[in-house]
Structures are given as structure tokens and as C-alpha cells.
Amino acid sequence: MKRVYFSIILPLFAIVLCAQSYSLNELRTMALENNKQLKVSKIQQDIAADAVREAKTKYLPRVNAMAGYDLFSREISILNNRQKAALNNVGTNAVNNLQPHIGNAIAAMQAQGVITAQEAAQLGAIAQQMGQKISEKGDAIGHDFERAFRTNTHNIFAGNILVTQPVYMGGAITAANKMARISRDMAANNSDNLRQATLLALDNAYWMAVSLKNKERLANEYLSLVKKLSDDVNKCIREGVATRADGLKVDVAVNEAEMAVTRVENGVALTKMYLCQLCGMPLDSGITLADEGRESRVESQGSRGEEESLSDSLHSRRPEVRLLENAIDMSKQSTKLIQALYRPHIALTGGVIVSNPSIYNGFERKFKENWNVGILVQMPIWSWYEGRYKIRMGRSATRIAELELQDAREKISLQVAQCRFKLDEARKRLVKANSNMRSAEENLRCANIGFQEGVMTVTNVMEAQTAWQKAETQRIDASIDVILAQTELRHALGIE
């Protein structure tokens, strides 16, 4: 029993959920929360906010580190080959140069009788022994000197940490920060523009669906009328007071009415699918609109006095105008950024360099550091008037943006005037449509009575029904046109 109970209750509950009724304000709220394009604009705003934060970091110092290793096939040599050979043989060369002089001195002393021949031989042997020792010692010292001059640069390790602090960049950093803030404002204004466009599309689709739903009701009522007329005519044919031709005319009208019902039902379904897409819901949600269950009615969305007072702040409320103002500010900052390229740039630098081999105590195979601080100045001297031409181009772009802003303001004022004329015209059409509807209802009532009394033909009744349907259609269109005209006017005034 419980299983049967749930099998009945659950489908009914699902039908109730699918047929949930939504008011216009509820759909607008859902569209603002779930519309995919609005979600994209929100992400773009987040990106613009991060760009502002990134631009602020340009004021802060930069710290960069670099390290590297190089393997060279040959090392750097401070001495040439001749100098190396001289140092390696410095003792031998010195002794070779001194020995002839020592021999001559000993021979002279022997010739003068200062020393004997035996003593001269002994002195020569001693001098030769001493020269050999001096030669060996001098060559060793020279070789040590030659080794001391070696750089040992086959393997080089190096590292560097550099700190750079901008001092004056010609105004480029300030201009870049202002451009980032303008981009953030542009993202917000673009989001507002998309928001208003989405709400306008939603309002139009909502009231179009309400209009089609009323037309669906009208089509069903008209179908009921022609079916009732068809029954009456068939009775008259059986009684012999109407012809078969009259019956065929009514049958054609019934078929046309059924096709009209089908067309308007398809229109309602498509319009609701579009509403679901705008609200971020599945297309087959099967929503019901709060205003579709009753006849369309017109509610004023603001008096003429209120509209006039809103015109004073019209341009400030339109996101299109704010976007064009942002474009002017962006163009001005772009020109300043160009000017900054041709001004002096000043930055403070500081860091530490580490290398192996180090050169601060000869060439040592040790890591040694060297701190440094400095100032960097860059100043362009001559660029063949390149900067002048670029600045002139930037100012021309700013002038174009200013003219586009003036043109947009004029067009917006014209749009507001057109919307007001359109609203006045729609209101007048509604008054005439209501009057025509009353006349068509009276005409249809008289035609039905006349047909029942036998004083009017089937054609007269069909003409009265067609006139009633046309008048009701015009009344529905006029009523919805007033609401849509009010919606367009509020959009033109920048009111959500």
C-alpha cells in the first residue's frame, strides 16, 4: 500500500516543483546570480583588481638572483710564454750571466799573483758549486712566481644578487597604476552595462511570454467559440435552416484556430526556454510566470515628473557613458606613458657578487663575495622626433574619444526622447484598443443573439468573432507595449 502511495505522490510532487511560479523580480534576481555572461564579467572584475595590485608593486624594489657555471678548454693567462720561460729559468740565466765575470776575476787575481794556480782552481770549483745551487734555487723561486700568476679559470662558478629600487621613471609607474585603476573601473562599468542589458532582455522576454500566454488564452477562447458555432451550424444543417457550405466555412475556421493555438503554444515554450537560459536554469525547467495566469494589466513604473528629475543625472547612470569617460582617461594616461619613455630614468642598485675562483686575493679557488651599491641614470638624447609623433598620436586618440563621448550623450538624450514618445503612443493605443474591445464584445453579443433569432447568417457571426479576436489581440499587444515602453524608458534612463 505504501509503495502505491509513494508511486502516486512522488510524480505529483515533481509536477508541482516543475510548475513553480516565478515573479519578474524573482527571475531578475536569479538572472543576476546565475547568468553565465554576468559570471564572466565578475571574473573579469577580479582580474582587473589583481592588475591594480600588480601595478602597485612597481613602486617596490626588485630582488633578482642569478647563478652559473662555465667550463673553459683554456684558462686565462696573465703572463705570456716568454715571461713564463724567463721565470722558470731565472736562476740558471742569472748564473750563466755571472759565471764568465767570476772566471775573469779569478784569472785576473791569479795573473797578478794574488792567488796561486791551485787556489784559483779551488775558487773556480767553489764558484761552480755555488752557481749550481743558486741556479737551482733561483729556478725554484721563479717557478713559484710563475705558478702564482696562474688564474686556474678552467672551471668558473659565479652568483649574483641584485636589488633595484626605481626612483624616477619619467612618470611611467604612476601612469601605469592609474591605467590599472581605470581598467578596474572599466570592468565594473562593463559589468553594469551587461547587467542592465541582461535585465532588459529578461524583462522583454518575461512580458513577451505573458503576452503570448494571454494570446494562448485568447486562441483557446476563440477556438471554443468557433467550435460552439460549428455545433450550432451542424444542428442548423440537420434542421435544414443552414447549408453545407456554411458548415465548411466554420470547419475551416476551426482548423485555423487550432493551428493558431499550436503556434502560440510553441512561441510560449520558446520564450520560456530563453528565460531559463537568461536565468541560468535548464532549458526544460517548465517554469510558470506569476503574471501569465491573469489578463495582462498595465502598472505605471514612474510618473513623468520622476522621469524628468532622473534626466538630470542621466549620463552618470548610463554605463556606456562611464565607459567612454574611462576610455578618455585611459587615452590620457597612455599619452603620459609615452612621454615617460623620453624622460630620464633613475634607479638605485645594490647587490653582492660571488665567484670562484675569486680575484680579490690573487686567483684563489675559493668563493669570495663583493658588495656594491650604485645609481643608474638613463636619458634619451636623440630619436628623430619619434616621441613627438607618438605623443601627437596619443592626444589625437584622446580627442577622438572625447568626440565619441559627446556623440554618445546626444544619442542617449535622443533615445530617451524616443522612448517617451513611444510610451505616449503606446498609452494612446491602449486607450483605443480598450474602446475597440468594448465595441467588439457588444458586436459579438448582438451577432450571437441575431444568429439564434435567425436574423443573422453564419458569415455575420464569424466576422464578429474575427473582429472580437482581432480587438482582443490588439488590446493585449497595446497593454504589453505600454509595459515594454516603460521598461525601455527606464533602461534609457539607466534605471534597473
Side-chain angles (χ1 to χ4, degrees):
M1 185 66 183
K2 290 182 178 180
R3 196 173 292 176
V4 175
Y5 174 78
F6 281 111
S7 65
I8 296 174
I9 293 298
L10 289 179
L12 292 176
F13 182 69
I15 292 173
V16 171
L17 288 179
C18 292
Q20 184 177 357
S21 178
Y22 293 96
S23 67
L24 177 59
N25 290 332
E26 290 173 341
L27 290 177
R28 285 164 67 97
T29 301
M30 293 177 63
L32 296 179
E33 293 177 352
N34 303 322
N35 186 269
K36 294 178 178 59
Q37 291 299 321
L38 290 176
K39 288 183 178 180
V40 171
S41 68
K42 179 63 172 63
I43 295 174
Q44 291 174 342
Q45 286 182 272
D46 295 338
I47 293 173
D50 288 334
V52 172
R53 300 185 187 99
E54 184 270 336
K56 290 180 180 178
T57 63
K58 302 297 183 182
Y59 290 109
L60 304 176
R62 290 287 187 272
V63 180
N64 297 304
M66 182 178 63
Y69 163 78
D70 285 310
L71 173 63
F72 293 92
S73 61
R74 302 174 66 181
E75 69 177 25
I76 299 173
S77 178
I78 297 176
L79 303 175
N80 57 36
N81 292 332
R82 185 179 59 80
Q83 292 170 334
K84 291 178 182 178
L87 285 174
N88 286 324
N89 299 288
V90 63
T92 302
N93 294 334
V95 170
N96 290 337
N97 291 329
L98 288 174
Q99 278 182 346
H101 299 287
I102 294 173
N104 293 333
I106 293 173
M109 291 173 64
Q110 182 181 357
Q112 294 174 2
V114 177
I115 60 176
T116 63
Q118 184 180 1
E119 292 176 340
Q122 291 177 349
L123 286 175
I126 293 172
Q128 187 175 4
Q129 292 176 356
M130 292 181 61
Q132 185 177 0
K133 292 181 179 180
I134 292 173
S135 174
E136 293 175 355
K137 192 64 175 178
D139 289 346
I141 294 173
H143 184 64
D144 290 340
F145 269 99
E146 189 270 335
R147 289 183 59 188
F149 277 100
R150 286 193 60 188
T151 60
N152 197 9
T153 52
H154 286 291
N155 299 282
I156 295 181
F157 301 87
N160 179 29
I161 297 178
L162 179 64
V163 180
T164 305
Q165 172 61 59
V167 177
Y168 178 71
M169 296 287 111
I173 297 179
T174 302
N177 274 266
K178 290 182 179 179
M179 291 175 70
R181 289 194 292 270
I182 294 171
S183 297
R184 180 187 59 190
D185 295 340
M186 292 181 73
N189 291 329
N190 185 62
S191 180
D192 290 342
N193 188 29
L194 184 59
R195 174 191 176 98
Q196 290 189 9
T198 301
L199 292 178
L200 177 63
L202 179 70
D203 290 351
N204 289 336
Y206 180 89
W207 292 114
M208 183 60 65
V210 171
S211 174
L212 290 173
K213 198 65 180 178
N214 280 288
K215 290 181 179 179
E216 181 183 2
R217 173 188 54 79
L218 173 61
N220 287 318
E221 291 179 1
Y222 179 71
L223 178 60
S224 299
L225 286 176
V226 294
K227 282 184 176 180
K228 182 179 182 303
L229 179 61
S230 177
D231 293 338
D232 293 340
V233 170
N234 288 329
K235 292 178 182 178
C236 292
I237 291 174
R238 288 194 295 269
E239 297 294 331
V241 294
T243 64
R244 182 60 181 164
D246 293 331
L248 293 175
K249 289 180 182 179
V250 177
D251 290 340
V252 171
V254 171
N255 293 333
E256 291 178 349
E258 290 176 345
M259 288 300 300
V261 171
T262 301
R263 285 194 297 268
V264 75
E265 286 176 348
N266 292 336
V268 171
L270 289 173
T271 307
K272 287 186 177 181
M273 290 173 67
Y274 180 54
L275 277 173
C276 292
Q277 191 273 331
L278 288 174
C279 296
M281 296 187 295
L283 298 183
D284 56 350
S285 296
I287 61 174
T288 302
L289 306 183
D291 291 308
E292 72 178 32
R294 55 180 178 270
E295 293 186 2
S296 57
R297 54 190 175 86
V298 178
E299 294 181 357
S300 177
Q301 300 186 28
S303 64
R304 183 61 179 265
E306 292 174 345
E307 295 169 3
E308 293 292 345
S309 63
L310 291 173
S311 298
D312 298 335
S313 57
L314 167 62
H315 295 147
S316 63
R317 290 193 308 274
R318 288 293 293 265
E320 302 96 320
V321 174
R322 298 199 299 270
L323 280 171
L324 289 172
E325 291 173 347
N326 294 148
I328 293 174
D329 295 336
M330 183 68 77
S331 180
K332 291 179 179 179
Q333 296 304 320
S334 297
T335 303
K336 292 182 179 180
L337 196 61
I338 294 172
Q339 291 174 332
L341 296 175
Y342 302 93
R343 291 174 179 169
H345 292 179
I346 303 173
L348 297 177
T349 62
V352 59
I353 299 174
V354 180
S355 65
N356 184 356
S358 62
I359 59 173
Y360 308 113
N361 187 25
F363 282 85
E364 291 182 305
R365 292 302 303 180
K366 295 181 180 179
F367 282 99
K368 292 290 185 69
E369 75 282 352
N370 183 16
W371 296 89
N372 65 87
V373 293
I375 183 169
L376 178 65
V377 180
Q378 178 187 0
M379 178 65 188
I381 302 300
W382 182 254
S383 59
W384 300 100
Y385 299 106
E386 176 189 20
R388 178 184 297 180
Y389 300 141
K390 287 184 177 181
I391 293 170
R392 189 182 299 173
M393 291 163 56
R395 289 173 177 169
S396 298
T398 302
R399 180 56 181 162
I400 292 174
E402 291 173 347
L403 292 174
E404 289 177 347
L405 175 60
Q406 294 176 7
D407 183 63
R409 285 176 172 170
E410 294 174 356
K411 288 181 177 178
I412 288 174
S413 299
L414 179 61
Q415 181 188 16
V416 172
Q418 289 174 337
C419 289
R420 284 177 176 154
F421 290 141
K422 186 176 180 180
L423 178 57
D424 291 340
E425 183 181 348
R427 285 169 173 164
K428 292 177 181 178
R429 282 202 309 270
L430 179 59
V431 172
K432 292 182 179 180
N434 288 329
S435 177
N436 292 339
M437 186 61 200
R438 289 191 293 269
S439 300
E441 287 176 344
E442 179 64 22
N443 182 39
L444 179 60
R445 188 184 68 83
C446 294
N448 288 329
I449 294 174
F451 180 74
Q452 292 173 1
E453 298 294 332
V455 296
M456 286 193 177
T457 64
V458 173
T459 302
N460 298 133
V461 177
M462 292 178 62
E463 289 176 352
Q465 290 176 345
T466 303
W468 172 83
Q469 183 193 31
K470 182 178 179 181
E472 178 64 8
T473 301
Q474 290 176 347
R475 188 190 69 80
I476 293 173
D477 290 338
S479 179
I480 296 299
D481 285 345
V482 172
I483 297 176
L484 294 179
Q486 290 175 333
T487 301
E488 291 181 3
L489 178 57
R490 291 177 67 84
H491 174 72
L493 292 171
I495 306 171
E496 294 183 358

